[in-house]
Amino acid sequence: MTTTPAIRSIPAAAAVLRRIILRPLAFFAFVIGSISAQTANTGTIEGRVQNEVTGRFLGNSRVMVKGSDLRVLTDESGSYRITDVPSGPIVLEVFYTGLDPQEISLSVPAGKTVTQDVSLTNQALYGASSKGGVVKLDPFTVDAAKVTDQASIAINEQRFAPNIKNIVAVGDVSEQPDGNIGEFLKFMPGVAVAGGGSVPANIYIRGFPPNTTTFTVDGATIASTGFGAPDRTVQTSNQTPGTGMSRLEVTKVPTPATAADTMAGSVNMVTRTAFEANRASFVYQVNLAGV
């Protein structure tokens, strides 16, 4: 009498078990099929963005598929990669501050990768030129182009920064007295300098004392080597590198990834890298001293 309900319940239990097992499997099969169908109808675009005249590879260039939400920023080597691009004809838009925007028509095969390198220029500044051609400039224009190129990098980095950041291109620091980066920082908003005579030694950001400001080189903190009571004060006149600098970044609004070791702000010194040029270069400096 007691075993009959248990025997009769076996088919019902098997049906429940089938529903528990088969329904998730059917769902996963549907999802995998949808992903496979989506992959079959999409492709990938990759390449590098370069300044046609200077040869510099452009980091933080905005590359997007026109008419869609697909957009990326190039890395420091100027490389980009856009995935899940609808197959078929598309228009690629490339933007970099100070250079002419460019639109490129492409055909993206389904399930394949298209390599598209982009060369940007500024016709108003450099004149019309063909890729691989010769740009004829007089000496004054060459010097102006170099300054403008550095300024464009600083403006573009500031435009696409995740927080409020002031960036300045320092150019050749060796041309400043003692290679002092304080000569550049004193012209930035919210920054004041102090020191002996006309040489900046300490900086004040938003009025806070110098020991509340963090100095970094490519994100690595500089330790203070000053004499006297130990603190975090960094001397811009003798504790900061005077050569090899590309940009100075002054941050007053931290991001969630910023270390909580400062009250005033931070100064990051960005060094030049090999990604900023398309060929090797050797820079030297000669000093002569009379006896």
Side-chain angles (χ1 to χ4, degrees):
M1 296 298 290
T2 59
T3 58
T4 302
I7 295 175
R8 291 179 179 178
S9 64
I10 292 177
V16 173
L17 186 60
R18 285 197 299 269
R19 287 196 298 269
I20 293 176
I21 297 176
L22 296 181
R23 285 185 178 179
L25 291 177
F27 174 75
F28 287 129
F30 172 77
V31 171
I32 293 174
S34 300
I35 294 175
S36 301
Q38 183 179 6
T39 304
N41 296 325
T42 61
T44 301
I45 305 175
E46 64 182 12
R48 301 181 77 180
V49 181
Q50 186 179 30
N51 188 320
E52 180 179 339
V53 176
T54 65
R56 186 193 301 270
F57 292 106
L58 303 175
N60 276 344
S61 301
R62 187 182 66 196
V63 184
M64 62 181 297
V65 178
K66 188 175 182 178
S68 72
D69 294 331
L70 299 173
R71 64 182 65 191
V72 296
L73 296 177
T74 58
D75 60 17
E76 61 180 2
S77 67
S79 302
Y80 71 92
R81 180 180 176 87
I82 306 178
T83 59
D84 297 331
V85 180
S87 59
I90 59 97
V91 176
L92 196 68
E93 291 184 335
V94 184
F95 171 81
Y96 188 85
T97 303
L99 300 177
D100 298 333
Q102 189 173 141
E103 294 187 357
I104 303 172
S105 298
L106 295 174
S107 179
V108 180
K112 295 186 178 180
T113 299
V114 177
T115 300
Q116 179 62 53
D117 296 330
V118 183
S119 295
L120 300 180
T121 185
N122 187 325
Q123 292 191 8
L125 178 63
Y126 303 123
S129 62
S130 60
K131 189 174 182 179
V134 177
V135 180
K136 185 177 180 180
L137 302 171
D138 56 52
F140 176 79
T141 307
V142 169
D143 182 69
K146 179 180 178 182
V147 175
T148 304
D149 182 47
Q150 294 174 346
S152 297
I153 295 174
I155 295 173
N156 191 75
E157 293 290 328
Q158 183 169 314
R159 180 193 296 272
F160 294 112
N163 54 354
I164 299 177
K165 182 186 296 184
N166 297 114
I167 305 176
V168 60
V170 299
D172 189 0
V173 184
S174 62
E175 296 178 357
Q176 300 299 324
D178 300 325
N180 193 341
I181 65 170
E183 298 291 341
F184 296 93
L185 292 172
K186 68 182 182 182
F187 294 110
M188 303 188 74
V191 178
V193 298
S198 60
V199 179
N202 301 321
I203 68 167
Y204 296 79
I205 296 181
R206 298 186 297 150
F208 285 86
N211 60 354
T212 59
T213 298
T214 300
F215 276 79
T216 59
V217 177
D218 294 332
T221 305
I222 297 178
S224 174
T225 58
F227 295 99
D231 58 24
R232 298 180 180 179
T233 302
V234 175
Q235 301 285 334
T236 62
S237 57
N238 56 14
Q239 289 184 230
T240 55
T243 58
M245 292 294 106
S246 175
R247 297 181 302 278
L248 294 177
E249 302 176 344
V250 177
T251 302
K252 304 167 190 173
V253 178
T255 64
T258 303
D261 57 354
T262 177
M263 293 176 60
S266 61
V267 177
N268 184 40
M269 292 167 282
V270 182
T271 58
R272 293 188 180 93
T273 66
F275 297 120
E276 297 182 0
N278 64 340
R279 59 183 181 272
S281 62
F282 177 73
V283 181
Y284 63 93
Q285 182 178 359
V286 177
N287 296 319
L288 297 178
V291 179

